[in-house]
């Protein structure tokens, strides 16, 4: 039964949006990353992302990582400037050992900006982090 399924709290796994220089185009781009700041490998990582507001919605994007090693990170996707102005939602599901974990990370509209930059764990870059 659904009520019998226990999904534990996600700890030490984050989503960050980092501003990085695009080498070829010499532009400052926003890129979303998943960060595993735990001591265990994440397996079968599924990420579903979308941007939305009251009148607009981006197509849903789906991403898969077979594994994300302990104390590492991986790029999820590039975010266009128009998408940064929307609410950006990342639903992350993964296995740690034999246990299923699930969490939704939400960047509210216009919170991805240069004034909100902070140091992102493991990456030693500045970005906007949702825990």
């Amino acid at each position: 039964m659904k009520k019998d399924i226990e999904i534990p709290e996600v700890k030490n796994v984050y989503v960050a949006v980092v501003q990085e220089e695009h080498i070829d185009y010499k532009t400052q781009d926003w890129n979303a990353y998943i960060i595993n700041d735990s001591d265990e490998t994440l397996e079968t990582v599924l990420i579903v992302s979308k941007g939305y507001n009251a009148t607009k919605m981006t197509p849903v994007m789906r991403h898969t990582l077979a594994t994300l090693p302990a104390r590492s990170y991986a790029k999820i996707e590039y975010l266009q400037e128009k998408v940064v102005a929307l609410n950006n939602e990342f639903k992350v599901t993964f296995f740690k050992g034999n246990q299923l974990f699930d969490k939704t990370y939400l960047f509210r509209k216009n919170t991805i900006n240069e004034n909100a930059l902070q140091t992102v764990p493991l990456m030693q870059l500045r970005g906007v982090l949702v825990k």
Side-chain angles (χ1 to χ4, degrees), residues 14-17 20 30-35 45-50 61-65 68 73-79 89-92 105 107:
Y14 316 116
V15 173
V17 176
E20 299 175 293
W30 293 103
N31 294 303
Y33 286 85
I34 182 166
I35 302 168
V45 181
L46 306 172
I47 304 165
V48 178
S49 63
K50 66 179 177 181
M61 303 287 285
R62 292 171 179 83
H63 312 276
T64 304
L65 298 168
L68 184 59
Y73 55 90
K75 186 174 177 179
I76 300 171
E77 66 188 23
Y78 160 74
L79 298 175
E89 180 179 275
F90 297 85
K91 292 182 182 242
V92 179
Y105 299 86
F107 294 87

Side-chain angles (χ1 to χ4, degrees), residues 17-33 75 77-81 84 112 126:
V17 176
V18 175
Q19 192 173 46
E20 299 175 293
E21 182 177 353
H22 191 286
I23 295 169
D24 295 333
Y25 298 114
K26 305 291 186 226
T27 58
Q28 291 293 317
D29 294 342
W30 293 103
N31 294 303
Y33 286 85
K75 186 174 177 179
E77 66 188 23
Y78 160 74
L79 298 175
Q80 294 178 339
E81 285 293 329
V84 171
I112 301 171
R126 294 180 49 77

Side-chain angles (χ1 to χ4, degrees), residues 1-20:
M1 304 288 287
K2 282 185 179 181
K3 65 180 177 65
D4 297 327
I5 298 173
E6 183 182 329
I7 299 177
E9 180 182 353
V10 173
K11 295 179 182 175
N12 300 319
V13 176
Y14 316 116
V15 173
V17 176
V18 175
Q19 192 173 46
E20 299 175 293

